[in-house]
Amino acid sequence: NAQNQRFLLDAVSGYGEEVYRIRAEHSQQCLDVEGGPSATQNGAKVQQYTCYNNQLNQMWKLERIN
């Protein structure tokens, strides 16, 4: 795998569920929903951005699908 295709999961505490920040290994930047926490519409863009603590648009919950 190329380093720019590897991501790290950083656990975020204090949210009662398993919530993570997803950080790109090569840039150390987090996956971030462009437009901030209010960007909840279908088709919202995801970008790499500086990681910030407690930034809701950088928090992700993993769900198992069958």
Side-chain angles (χ1 to χ4, degrees):
N1 286 348
Q3 192 176 21
N4 66 341
Q5 295 179 352
R6 289 192 235 164
F7 293 85
L8 306 168
L9 298 177
D10 299 326
V12 177
S13 61
Y15 288 87
E17 299 179 27
E18 292 187 15
V19 175
Y20 299 90
R21 286 189 314 183
I22 302 174
R23 188 166 37 94
E25 188 173 293
H26 75 288
S27 68
Q28 296 301 307
Q29 292 187 322
C30 286
L31 291 187
D32 175 285
V33 178
E34 187 178 311
S38 62
T40 58
Q41 71 279 7
N42 289 339
K45 293 181 181 180
V46 174
Q47 62 187 355
Q48 288 186 35
Y49 201 80
T50 302
C51 297
Y52 292 104
N53 291 330
N54 300 317
Q55 191 72 20
L56 294 176
N57 59 314
Q58 293 182 350
M59 293 183 190
W60 304 85
K61 180 181 175 190
L62 304 180
E63 294 184 10
R64 180 178 304 274
I65 56 173
N66 297 325

